[in-house]
C-alpha cells in the first residue's frame, strides 16, 4: 500500500513538472512570435521612415556637421536644468545626436513624442515593452523615440531594423564630471532631450521600460488638457519630497510644451 501511495505521489509530481515545462515552452514560443512579428513587420517598416535612411551611416556620416539647424527647429534662448553638467549649447548643436533628432522630427505628423531609454543590459526588456505597445495600443512606432545609452544596444537595435538615437556621454556631458550615482548621467540625458523637444514645440511622454503598457497612456493625459506636467505622486528624492511636500514619479510622466514648463 505504501509503495502504491508513493507511486501515485511521484506520478502526480511528474505530472505537475510536465505542466510547468509545457507552460514555460508555450510562453517562450509566444514571446518569440511577438518579437519576430515586431522586428520584421511594423518596426521594420517604421525604421525607414523614422530616420528616412536605408543605412545608419547616412544618419551618422563620417564628415563633421556644420551646426546649421532646420528653420523649424532653431534653438534660440534655452537653458538646461543641469547646466553645470552638460556641454555648452554651441557644442551640442554640432553633435550627431542633435542632428539625428532633428531628422527624426521631420517624419512626425503631430506634436507628441514618446521617449524611452535603454542600455544593452535591458534590450530584452525593451523588446517586451514594444510587444505590449503593439498588442494593446494604436501608438505609431514613428512616435516612439528610443534613446540608446550605449553603442552596444544601438548596434543590436540596428541589426533588428529598429532605429534609435545614440547618446554618447562625451557628446552631452562635460568632461571630468563626477556623479554620486551611476544613474545620474541617464537622467541628464533624458531631461536634456526632453528639454530640447519641448523647446521645439513637442509634448513629451517619458516612460520607463518597466511601465508595461496595457492601455494607450495618451488618452489619460488628454483628460488633463489644462495641465503642464502630469505624473503620479512619488517620494523621491526624499529631501525634496519633505521640503516641497510633493514629488513626481518619473516612470510615466508628460511634459507639455508650454511657457510654464519652458521657464
Amino acid at each position: 500500500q505504501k509503495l502504491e501511495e508513493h507511486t501515485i505521489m511521484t506520478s502526480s509530481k511528474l505530472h505537475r513538472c510536465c505542466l510547468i515545462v509545457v507552460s514555460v515552452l508555450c510562453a517562450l514560443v509566444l514571446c518569440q512570435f511577438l518579437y519576430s512579428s515586431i522586428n520584421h513587420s511594423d518596426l521594420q517598416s517604421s525604421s525607414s521612415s523614422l530616420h528616412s535612411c536605408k543605412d545608419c551611416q547616412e544618419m551618422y556620416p563620417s564628415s563633421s556637421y556644420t551646426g546649421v539647424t532646420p528653420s523649424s527647429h532653431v534653438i534660440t534662448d534655452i537653458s538646461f536644468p543641469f547646466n553645470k553638467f552638460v556641454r555648452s549649447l554651441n557644442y551640442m548643436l554640432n553633435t550627431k545626436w542633435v542632428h539625428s533628432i532633428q531628422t527624426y522630427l521631420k517624419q512626425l505628423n503631430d506634436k507628441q513624442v514618446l521617449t524611452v531609454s535603454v542600455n544593452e543590459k535591458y534590450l530584452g526588456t525593451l523588446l517586451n515593452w514594444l510587444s505590449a505597445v503593439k498588442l494593446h495600443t494604436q501608438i505609431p512606432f514613428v512616435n516612439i523615440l528610443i534613446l540608446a545609452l550605449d553603442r552596444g544596444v544601438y548596434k543590436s537595435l540596428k541589426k533588428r531594423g529598429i532605429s534609435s538615437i545614440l547618446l554618447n556621454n562625451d557628446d552631452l556631458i562635460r568632461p571630468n564630471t563626477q556623479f554620486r550615482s551611476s544613474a545620474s548621467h541617464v537622467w541628464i540625458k533624458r531631461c536634456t532631450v526632453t528639454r530640447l523637444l519641448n523647446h521645439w514645440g513637442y509634448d513629451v511622454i517619458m516612460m520607463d521600460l518597466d511601465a508595461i503598457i496595457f492601455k494607450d497612456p495618451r488618452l489619460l493625459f488628454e483628460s488633463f488638457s489644462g495641465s503642464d506636467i502630469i505624473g503620479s505622486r512619488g517620494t523621491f528624492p526624499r529631501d525634496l519630497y519633505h521640503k516641497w511636500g510633493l514629488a513626481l514619479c518619473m516612470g510615466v510622466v508628460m511634459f507639455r510644451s508650454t511657457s510654464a514648463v519652458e521657464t
Side-chain angles (χ1 to χ4, degrees):
Q1 184 178 358
K2 289 183 179 180
L3 179 61
E4 183 179 354
E5 290 177 355
H6 177 73
T7 303
I8 293 174
M9 290 178 63
T10 303
S11 176
S12 178
K13 290 180 180 179
L14 288 173
H15 180 69
R16 287 197 297 269
C17 289
C18 289
L19 288 178
I20 293 173
V21 170
V22 171
S23 299
V24 171
L25 289 175
C26 289
L28 289 174
V29 171
L30 177 61
C31 289
Q32 182 64 35
F33 170 77
L34 292 174
Y35 292 167
S36 176
S37 175
I38 286 180
N39 293 337
H40 299 293
S41 55
D42 291 345
L43 288 181
Q44 185 70 33
S45 62
S46 67
S47 173
S48 59
S49 63
L50 190 59
H51 293 297
S52 188
C53 64
K54 296 179 180 179
D55 191 292
C56 288
Q57 290 298 321
E58 297 179 28
M59 184 171 69
Y60 290 161
S62 57
S63 59
S64 60
Y65 287 92
T66 62
V68 178
T69 61
S71 58
S72 59
H73 299 139
V74 172
I75 299 178
T76 53
D77 182 21
I78 182 174
S79 60
F80 295 95
F82 307 109
N83 268 336
K84 66 179 181 179
F85 300 127
V86 299
R87 295 276 195 175
S88 68
L89 181 59
N90 288 334
Y91 185 95
M92 286 193 288
L93 286 178
N94 288 278
T95 57
K96 297 175 182 179
W97 70 268
V98 170
H99 285 260
S100 298
I101 290 179
Q102 291 169 336
T103 302
Y104 158 76
L105 293 176
K106 293 179 182 179
Q107 313 303 318
L108 293 184
N109 295 321
D110 55 48
K111 289 290 187 177
Q112 191 174 90
V113 180
L114 195 158
T115 67
V116 291
S117 57
V118 62
N119 59 23
E120 192 168 20
K121 180 180 178 181
Y122 291 98
L123 174 61
T125 307
L126 171 66
L127 296 177
N128 185 56
W129 186 87
L130 290 172
S131 297
V133 173
K134 175 180 173 63
L135 287 172
H136 302 299
T137 79
Q138 298 297 320
I139 298 175
F141 281 112
V142 71
N143 284 72
I144 301 174
L145 179 60
I146 301 174
L147 307 177
L149 302 177
D150 57 58
R151 190 169 294 277
V153 73
Y154 171 78
K155 290 181 178 180
S156 296
L157 290 171
K158 177 183 175 181
K159 289 179 181 178
R160 290 171 167 80
I162 304 174
S163 296
S164 64
I165 302 294
L166 177 61
L167 296 179
N168 286 316
N169 284 354
D170 293 341
D171 289 338
L172 200 146
I173 298 175
R174 293 181 184 273
N176 303 318
T177 300
Q178 300 294 324
F179 297 115
R180 291 183 298 175
S181 169
S182 59
S184 296
H185 73 280
V186 176
W187 282 107
I188 289 176
K189 291 176 179 179
R190 294 175 71 174
C191 291
T192 300
V193 171
T194 299
R195 186 79 176 91
L196 276 176
L197 292 172
N198 280 163
H199 183 75
W200 285 328
Y202 294 86
D203 296 337
V204 179
I205 299 175
M206 184 193 301
M207 296 193 67
D208 287 346
L209 293 178
D210 60 358
I212 303 299
I213 293 179
F214 291 99
K215 291 183 179 181
D216 193 334
R218 299 175 300 175
L219 302 177
L220 176 62
F221 291 129
E222 288 172 5
S223 64
F224 298 93
S225 58
S227 300
D228 302 297
I229 301 176
I230 308 166
S232 59
R233 292 178 66 93
T235 59
F236 183 84
R238 290 285 185 178
D239 52 344
L240 295 180
Y241 170 73
H242 291 299
K243 181 179 180 179
W244 296 341
L246 174 69
L248 287 180
C249 174
M250 293 290 107
V252 182
V253 63
M254 182 179 194
F255 294 89
R256 282 204 169 95
S257 177
T258 62
S259 57
V261 175
E262 184 82 9
T263 54

